[in-house]
Amino acid sequence: MLLNIDPAAPGPLTPGIRPRRRQVGALFGFLAASWLVSLLGSLPIRMNSTWYAAAVKAPWTPPGWMFSAAWLVLYASMAVAAWLVWRQQLFPRRDALRVYVSLLVLNLAWPMMFFGLYPAMGSAALWLALAAIAAHAVLAVFAVLHFGPINTAAGVLMLPYVSWVLFSTSLNLYAALNN
């Protein structure tokens, strides 16, 4: 038997299980929080994307639409992973959920640094953004390490996120070195 699976039958009268309505509401809350961060993080990209269009980019940079599509899916999987952790009551979850909130903060901070500060600070903004995304990558690994023992599926759901953040870090490094 897996240690992170609650063997109790679901239902509102079972100790340790939240009512279904509350679980669905929490899932929508996690999704809304993630997508709100996505929306807010996209504002500096939309407002300051002209310099990026002319910037020297890594040869492995995907087309712009792929970033939007990938982040939409990654924010959803991150929200579902956090929800799976939240609903598990057999293990302490506070630290894991703090990691999730910290990831949302870094997800919001990076585009503000990379896109928002570049017009004023130039390449220094790209190096600052690199430091932020490197911290983001480390924190994403911590998320896997915190989520996995609580809920295996949650840990696995975070793996594509880690991969994408590492990939994005390589793009940020290339931009910082070449712009």
Side-chain angles (χ1 to χ4, degrees):
M1 180 168 120
L2 296 173
L3 293 177
N4 62 352
I5 304 297
D6 188 347
L13 301 177
T14 306
I17 299 293
R18 294 182 170 105
R20 187 170 306 277
R21 181 178 292 152
R22 185 166 180 217
Q23 289 186 36
V24 170
L27 175 59
F28 283 126
F30 280 108
L31 287 167
S34 289
W35 286 334
L36 178 63
V37 167
S38 174
L39 176 66
L40 293 173
S42 72
L43 294 177
I45 297 169
R46 291 182 207 169
M47 294 169 44
N48 298 310
S49 62
T50 54
W51 74 264
Y52 186 71
V56 178
K57 293 181 235 6
W60 58 91
T61 302
W65 65 265
M66 190 177 285
F67 285 102
S68 299
W71 278 113
L72 185 65
V73 170
L74 292 171
Y75 275 115
S77 69
M78 182 172 67
V80 170
W83 174 73
L84 288 171
V85 166
W86 170 83
R87 68 189 295 260
Q88 179 58 260
Q89 296 188 40
L90 294 178
F91 297 97
R93 307 168 314 271
R94 181 171 287 158
D95 289 342
L97 294 174
R98 282 186 183 143
V99 170
Y100 167 72
V101 170
S102 299
L103 284 174
L104 291 179
V105 169
L106 284 173
N107 268 311
L108 190 55
W110 182 84
M112 291 183 182
M113 291 176 196
F114 190 89
F115 289 96
L117 293 179
Y118 184 83
M121 295 176 60
S123 65
L126 302 180
W127 289 101
L128 183 62
L130 181 62
I133 201 167
H136 193 168
V138 169
L139 196 61
V141 170
F142 282 169
V144 172
L145 296 175
H146 278 81
F147 285 22
I150 296 170
N151 183 288
T152 305
V156 170
L157 277 171
M158 292 302 294
L159 291 174
Y161 182 87
V162 171
S163 299
W164 188 260
V165 171
L166 289 171
F167 174 71
S168 297
T169 302
S170 76
L171 297 175
N172 192 149
L173 175 61
Y174 192 94
L177 289 171
N178 294 287
N179 290 286

